[in-house]
Amino acid sequence: IYDVLYKSYTSAHEHNVSISGGTDRLNYFVSGNYLSQDGTLNWKLDGYKRINLFGKFEAHPWENVTIGFSSRIIKTDYHQPRHLTDERYAAMGKECWPIGPLYDPNGHLFNDTVLRIKEGGQTTNVAKQITNQLDFVYKPLPGWRIVANANYRIGANANTEITLPVYQMSVDGVTPSPD
């Protein structure tokens, strides 16, 4: 069953870019990252994508004052078959081949577990997170530092589960109607 569900190999790619620079009064750093993983299941049933943007700015308006700001935005997108859960992995060993056939005599997928994973719908999770930080440093006297920080973080998570009916082919090779 595992050779039917899983690919022999999979691919992933990641891209990064960053820019930095500044003067004696202002420094900046900006970076971006993109990751895409195709997943390990056949039929393009799973996958993961992530986008990450980061920026950091630091200003020295006066010799004894430093103001900094940083921000990070992360978005992830993961999808997998609706019926591929921890319980399903445990059930594979007792419900699948060699206990029952994977294919019918006509060559169509017959195993309920594999059919549910392949055609039974998708679970999708999209997560977004934004983090901001503002820093203020004041040095009134040598050896003294007064520091103030403000942090803000917000996130959103959207889970979607779509369950679809699964049909097996009848002996004559015609899918039975849902009635």
Side-chain angles (χ1 to χ4, degrees):
I1 186 165
Y2 296 104
D3 58 341
V4 172
L5 284 176
Y6 293 98
K7 300 176 187 175
S8 300
Y9 62 90
T10 187
S11 64
H13 56 94
E14 185 171 13
H15 308 280
N16 297 290
V17 63
S18 64
I19 301 169
S20 63
T23 65
D24 58 337
R25 295 264 188 215
L26 178 68
N27 297 313
Y28 64 90
F29 175 79
V30 179
S31 69
N33 170 275
Y34 175 74
L35 171 68
S36 177
Q37 296 175 336
D38 287 339
T40 58
L41 295 173
N42 282 316
W43 310 296
K44 296 184 180 184
L45 295 175
D46 63 331
Y48 177 77
K49 292 182 181 175
R50 182 189 68 219
I51 297 173
N52 184 1
L53 301 172
F54 176 74
K56 182 175 183 176
F57 305 91
E58 188 174 87
H60 304 278
W62 301 280
E63 189 174 310
N64 59 346
V65 174
T66 303
I67 300 170
F69 177 76
S70 64
S71 183
R72 180 179 306 272
I73 300 169
I74 302 170
K75 180 186 176 194
T76 59
D77 184 347
Y78 174 73
H79 66 279
Q80 73 175 32
R82 163 70 181 86
H83 294 282
L84 191 59
T85 61
D86 291 341
E87 294 84 18
R88 181 57 43 208
Y89 276 114
M92 275 189 204
K94 64 182 179 181
E95 295 176 358
C96 297
W97 185 89
I99 306 301
L102 283 176
Y103 298 97
D104 67 13
N106 297 320
H108 301 291
L109 274 176
F110 182 76
N111 184 277
D112 288 338
T113 300
V114 177
L115 282 170
R116 274 185 254 139
I117 290 171
K118 182 182 178 192
E119 300 173 3
Q122 285 277 302
T123 297
T124 302
N125 176 271
V126 177
K128 299 174 187 174
Q129 182 178 335
I130 299 173
T131 305
N132 294 317
Q133 181 173 0
L134 179 64
D135 300 315
F136 178 81
V137 179
Y138 175 58
K139 299 177 186 175
L141 300 170
W144 284 39
R145 283 177 42 142
I146 298 172
V147 178
N149 293 350
N151 296 295
Y152 178 74
R153 183 176 178 178
I154 187 169
N157 219 6
N159 291 309
T160 305
E161 288 188 359
I162 298 173
T163 303
L164 300 174
V166 176
Y167 305 104
Q168 288 183 330
M169 291 287 190
S170 59
V171 177
D172 63 0
V174 179
T175 305
S177 66
D179 299 333

